[in-house]
Amino acid sequence: MAQDKFIGLIAGISYIQDADQLEKYSTDSSGYEAALPCIVVRPVTTDEVVRVVNACSDCHLGYTIQGGLTGLAGGARPDKGDVVISLELMNKIEEIDTIGGTVVVQAGVVLEDIQNAVQESGWYFPLDLGARGSCQIGGNISTNAGGNKVFRYGTTRELVLGLEVVLPDGTVLNMLNRVIKNNTGLDLKHLFIGTEGRYGIVTRACLRLFPKPEARFSALTGLNSFNDVTLLLKEARGKVAELSSFEVMWDNYLLKASQSINKPAPFNGQYPIYVLLEVEGGVEGLEEKFNRFLERQLESGLVADVIIPQSEEQAKAIWKIRDASGETMAKISPAVAFDIGIPLKNMQTFIEETINALEEQYPTAVNLLFGHLGDGNLHLTTGCLTPEQLLPVEELVYKLTGKYNGSITAEHGIGRIKKPFLSVSRSAEQIKVMQNIRKLFNVNDLQNKARVID
Amino acid sequence: MAQDKFIGLIAGISYIQDADQLEKYSTDSSGYEAALPCIVVRPVTTDEVVRVVNACSDCHLGYTIQGGLTGLAGGARPDKGDVVISLELMNKIEEIDTIGGTVVVQAGVVLEDIQNAVQESGWYFPLDLGARGSCQIGGNISTNAGGNKVFRYGTTRELVLGLEVVLPDGTVLNMLNRVIKNNTGLDLKHLFIGTEGRYGIVTRACLRLFPKPEARFSALTGLNSFNDVTLLLKEARGKVAELSSFEVMWDNYLLKASQSINKPAPFNGQYPIYVLLEVEGGVEGLEEKFNRFLERQLESGLVADVIIPQSEEQAKAIWKIRDASGETMAKISPAVAFDIGIPLKNMQTFIEETINALEEQYPTAVNLLFGHLGDGNLHLTTGCLTPEQLLPVEELVYKLTGKYNGSITAEHGIGRIKKPFLSVSRSAEQIKVMQNIRKLFNVNDLQNKARVID
């Protein structure tokens, strides 16, 4: 009944109701149990989004917003019978400003399409993550996606100059600001970045671009201790302004990841910890500068050994190991993939205490560590568990995360999966404010219900 | 009566009631007409701030929050008879984390004291502005201060990792996050950055540090057109990752500013436009790289001429001209100082249209242009006006700012002075959301009333 009325209200807007086709929209990449929506509506304009949102309100139908379905926290998985609003047809790159270095895009544009389009104009959009070929910018914004280059260019948040958002009451907030500095009171866009669709639907964005780097070089270094890693990070940040990635892999991650993609492990695993550095910028003198920097670190003993790729293929092969976390995790399933933010100075103690506790309580488990250490972002994958062990392992790790003032999610978001653990990283007062703002925007809680906060 | 009760409630907290001493707290640096508060309370801890806020609520007394009183928008000027809450005694630097590169400070610490303290630990806090010696970090945060290095390091917003805030209802939000990536839902700190005390009082902050640059070099270049300036900006950003400032001065600003500090104008004013570039980073090869970059620009003709200071004194002398906007403005008073954000691609047209309109309608006025062009931030000072001309000049310039999708304040904030013009940069829907959030936090509107939004 409500559904008939709903279909009448969205007349002229593309939708899918065929059960076979609905399957695709029934979950995201989190492994969260699928649930079929009743219909998938695919607006192509902001006005159509407004009409769909208003139709959901009029018929009192719960709805879920979807992008590329690459999320890892269950945020895009509908409740059974939900209306799904998929932004996938809102895939236009509307305007590249080659003077100011900005691009205006619709929310459904695939990240890699943005990267390629601006590159052709001599510009560079530095947000990059494994899912680049299918994740959509609206989802990147709603989850404040991170990636490998955050400590140089910022998270998605810092790359968004302006947004257009449709609120649950159908209001369109046009905040397509195009300047870096705009100090006219509350910067409203931050209400919609990283809040996973609880307060509004991102429909368009103006993004900040950087001049396209002329050159890029990588090196894999072996180090003797985590303390040396923190010293190397400060040295590299201070001396090499072109530093764009600082990825840390502990020895067992490097071994397992190399195995999982059938490659020999670099250095035969002889060091306890490895850092993959990348620089990007103007070509003149960059390679020499980077190599000289690495030599100095070898001389001082901060770096024990270094592999400098002699070709782009060799560099890609090394990055493939870093990027093989998905393949590696699949080999040790059932596993929990943690995505934790820990202050650097607490990192070593946190790791020791956590790994000791895990080894003691789950002696057959495999614990792999890697991370974007430049940002204090640690990925821990604990695998070879039984399904029953998954939840207690989560509880153990999140408890220690709280103890060391960490964040239970540095980049993947809370979604449905981490909602029970939110109080580890957020005080009761903070959660109350987040809920009050939800009630202000999303009065009847029809939009993306049961994610992040109530 | 209410006052006696109030003084009873704040027993033990430092306060000032002597009329002579109250004078100092009666306005900020905006030139906004002074108004005496009834009392100035100076808490030293967060708990004391809570007690003062609760006492104001209990006695239904309006109150104004004050930092270093260097603001240019009237935000810190009390209403007559207000309670002033001055954070000036909350001036402790609590903790410098030399591993992760963070510092935790109380809100009343003077910016320069932070700069100096972290420098001694080998770190660098890159927020910098003319008022560094008296502005306080709480005010920098509440107004989201900008400065000369924003396009490399971000505004104050990007330098704040976490905050502690006291809400108007006395709730303490402890959000002293210390990691760069924390994706646990709404990033609440953004509600209190740049919102000029309308939603809460910033009491402590955790700030992001950078390794201390080993070297810094500047150069003043003369160019033939604004178009060349935009091309130079992209070249410099792309080829010199160490670029930290890109300050533009039009010829008449350079002449007047040099005069105002009794210095000869560099290049004798022979070019229409000048860019002051600065690089900072690792010392090795930096000077050679910067000089080579400048040579290339001379060879290609993008830069017509360049002055490379041969000593630190010479560099300081050039920066003094850039920083002499206050002295220059004083010589052409009464004047209006605009602080506008304009998309770079609209900048030249905006400037032509605005200057033409000003010259036509105010033929005896002096119009000086300079700005942080790397951020799209244009400063226009229109002087030699009559007091009656100030408001119509503002109306003229803000109308054109709106036409070119600009922001009426890129870094100074709205405060009291720009409140009537807010709708130029913000839609009715946005203003309504800002007001609704004000009503959520600041229910009785006792706190910093009549700033930014109602």
Side-chain angles (χ1 to χ4, degrees), chain B residues 110-140:
Chain B
V110 168
L111 174 59
E112 198 167 36
D113 293 341
I114 301 176
Q115 293 174 338
N116 292 337
V118 304
Q119 192 148 323
E120 282 165 27
S121 309
W123 289 89
Y124 177 53
F125 184 57
L127 178 65
D128 193 36
L129 43 145
R132 68 183 74 81
S134 43
C135 64
Q136 294 168 15
I137 190 68
N140 298 145

Side-chain angles (χ1 to χ4, degrees), chain A residues 330-351:
Chain A
K331 302 242 167 175
I332 56 171
S333 175
V336 191
F338 295 98
D339 153 47
I340 298 168
I342 297 277
L344 261 193
K345 68 168 181 167
N346 299 342
M347 187 74 84
Q348 182 61 14
T349 320
F350 168 81
I351 289 172

Side-chain angles (χ1 to χ4, degrees), chain A residues 402-415:
Chain A
K403 178 177 168 186
Y404 289 99
N405 293 315
S407 157
I408 60 168
T409 174
E411 52 181 18
H412 298 166
I414 296 292

Side-chain angles (χ1 to χ4, degrees), chain A residues 197-232:
Chain A
R198 290 297 276 143
Y199 303 149
I201 304 178
V202 172
T203 47
R204 293 201 292 163
C206 178
L207 307 170
R208 184 180 181 195
L209 304 178
F210 293 78
K212 182 178 155 193
E214 295 172 338
R216 182 174 290 127
F217 303 99
S218 300
L220 182 67
T221 57
L223 290 89
N224 286 316
S225 73
F226 182 78
N227 186 46
D228 286 353
V229 171
T230 65
L231 295 174
L232 179 64

Side-chain angles (χ1 to χ4, degrees), chain A residues 214 239 284 296 426, chain B residues 186 214 239 284 296 426:
Chain A
E214 295 172 338
K239 295 201 194 299
E284 196 171 328
R296 294 276 156 80
R426 295 304 200 99
Chain B
L186 178 58
E214 296 172 337
K239 295 200 195 300
E284 196 172 328
R296 293 275 157 79
R426 295 303 201 98

Side-chain angles (χ1 to χ4, degrees), chain A residues 95 97-101 121-123 143-148 150-152 155 157-158 167 169 171-175 177-188 190-196 199 208-214 227 230 233-234 237-242 280-282 284-285 289 292 296 341-345 372 374-377 405-414 422 425-427 429-434 436-437 440-441 452, chain B residues 95 97-101 121-123 143-148 150-152 155 157-158 167 169 171-175 177-188 190-196 199 208-214 227 230 233-235 237-242 280-282 284-285 289 292 296 341-345 372 374-377 405-414 422 425-427 429-434 436-437 440-441 452:
Chain A
E95 187 196 337
D97 171 359
T98 56
I99 295 170
S121 308
W123 289 88
T143 57
N144 188 27
N148 296 338
V150 168
F151 79 92
R152 169 129 174 228
T155 61
R157 184 184 300 284
E158 282 79 34
L167 300 182
D169 71 358
T171 301
V172 179
L173 287 184
N174 181 329
M175 314 171 285
N177 170 61
R178 286 147 201 243
V179 288
I180 295 177
K181 283 164 147 181
N182 185 346
N183 250 357
T184 54
L186 178 59
D187 193 348
L188 281 168
H190 295 292
L191 289 168
F192 307 99
I193 300 175
T195 50
E196 308 185 34
Y199 303 149
R208 184 180 181 195
L209 304 178
F210 293 78
K212 182 178 155 193
E214 295 172 338
N227 186 46
T230 65
L233 176 61
K234 193 183 171 199
R237 286 177 68 198
K239 295 201 194 299
V240 189
E242 294 88 351
E280 57 187 26
E284 196 171 328
K289 177 181 174 179
R292 209 160 50 221
R296 294 276 156 80
I342 297 277
L344 261 193
K345 68 168 181 167
H372 315 298
D375 322 317
N377 186 178
N405 293 315
S407 157
I408 60 168
T409 174
E411 52 181 18
H412 298 166
I414 296 292
L422 187 63
S425 293
R426 295 304 200 99
S427 67
E429 293 81 9
Q430 288 185 56
I431 291 175
K432 194 177 148 210
V433 171
M434 290 159 76
N436 284 341
I437 292 177
L440 195 65
F441 287 108
V452 192
Chain B
E95 186 195 338
D97 172 358
T98 56
I99 295 170
S121 309
W123 289 89
T143 57
N144 188 25
N148 297 337
V150 167
F151 79 93
R152 170 132 174 227
T155 60
R157 184 184 300 283
E158 283 79 34
L167 300 183
D169 71 358
T171 302
V172 179
L173 289 184
N174 183 329
M175 314 170 286
N177 169 62
R178 285 148 203 243
V179 289
I180 295 176
K181 282 163 145 182
N182 184 347
N183 251 356
T184 53
L186 178 58
D187 193 349
L188 281 169
H190 295 292
L191 289 169
F192 307 99
I193 300 175
T195 50
E196 308 186 34
Y199 303 149
R208 185 181 180 193
L209 304 178
F210 293 78
K212 182 178 154 191
E214 296 172 337
N227 187 46
T230 65
L233 176 60
K234 193 181 172 201
E235 279 293 294
R237 287 178 67 199
K239 295 200 195 300
V240 189
E242 294 88 352
E280 57 187 26
E284 196 172 328
K289 178 180 174 180
R292 210 160 52 224
R296 293 275 157 79
I342 297 279
L344 261 193
K345 68 168 180 168
H372 316 298
D375 323 315
N377 185 179
N405 294 316
S407 157
I408 60 167
T409 174
E411 52 180 19
H412 298 166
I414 296 291
L422 187 64
S425 292
R426 295 303 201 98
S427 67
E429 292 82 9
Q430 288 186 56
I431 291 174
K432 195 178 147 210
V433 172
M434 290 159 75
N436 284 342
I437 291 176
L440 195 63
F441 288 107
V452 192

Side-chain angles (χ1 to χ4, degrees), chain A residues 182-424:
Chain A
N182 185 346
N183 250 357
T184 54
L186 178 59
D187 193 348
L188 281 168
K189 66 172 181 269
H190 295 292
L191 289 168
F192 307 99
I193 300 175
T195 50
E196 308 185 34
R198 290 297 276 143
Y199 303 149
I201 304 178
V202 172
T203 47
R204 293 201 292 163
C206 178
L207 307 170
R208 184 180 181 195
L209 304 178
F210 293 78
K212 182 178 155 193
E214 295 172 338
R216 182 174 290 127
F217 303 99
S218 300
L220 182 67
T221 57
L223 290 89
N224 286 316
S225 73
F226 182 78
N227 186 46
D228 286 353
V229 171
T230 65
L231 295 174
L232 179 64
L233 176 61
K234 193 183 171 199
E235 278 295 294
R237 286 177 68 198
K239 295 201 194 299
V240 189
E242 294 88 351
L243 187 72
S244 51
S245 289
F246 190 92
E247 298 289 305
V248 177
M249 295 173 272
W250 277 258
D251 53 353
N252 60 352
Y253 175 81
L254 194 79
L255 288 169
K256 286 273 176 199
S258 303
Q259 273 170 25
S260 78
I261 55 170
N262 299 312
K263 298 274 173 196
F267 299 114
N268 298 312
Q270 67 187 108
Y271 301 103
I273 195 160
Y274 302 89
V275 179
L276 176 52
L277 298 103
E278 184 193 72
V279 295
E280 57 187 26
V283 66
E284 196 171 328
L286 181 56
E287 190 169 14
E288 297 78 359
K289 177 181 174 179
F290 187 41
N291 289 349
R292 209 160 50 221
F293 170 80
L294 293 167
E295 270 165 39
R296 294 276 156 80
Q297 309 316 310
L298 278 170
E299 283 163 21
S300 76
L302 196 55
V303 162
D305 209 345
V306 59
I307 293 174
I308 297 175
Q310 297 305 307
S311 66
E312 213 172 306
E313 278 85 67
Q314 238 186 304
K316 272 188 188 159
I318 292 177
W319 271 97
K320 218 167 179 177
I321 299 171
R322 166 61 189 84
D323 289 341
S325 56
E327 293 90 330
T328 311
M329 189 172 164
K331 302 242 167 175
I332 56 171
S333 175
V336 191
F338 295 98
D339 153 47
I340 298 168
I342 297 277
L344 261 193
K345 68 168 181 167
N346 299 342
M347 187 74 84
Q348 182 61 14
T349 320
F350 168 81
I351 289 172
E352 281 167 16
E353 195 169 333
T354 305
I355 298 299
N356 285 345
L358 286 169
E359 287 180 347
E360 199 182 299
Q361 294 179 44
Y362 307 94
T364 59
V366 171
N367 303 298
L368 306 180
L369 287 162
F370 58 106
H372 315 298
L373 257 276
D375 322 317
N377 186 178
L378 179 70
H379 290 298
L380 159 66
T381 303
T382 299
C384 300
L385 297 167
T386 65
E388 296 70 38
Q389 291 173 328
L390 295 173
L391 186 63
V393 162
E394 282 187 278
E395 285 167 348
L396 184 160
V397 173
Y398 289 138
K399 198 176 157 194
L400 290 168
T401 306
K403 178 177 168 186
Y404 289 99
N405 293 315
S407 157
I408 60 168
T409 174
E411 52 181 18
H412 298 166
I414 296 292
R416 295 174 181 272
I417 287 181
K418 287 172 199 144
K419 185 164 176 278
F421 301 103
L422 187 63
S423 63
V424 170

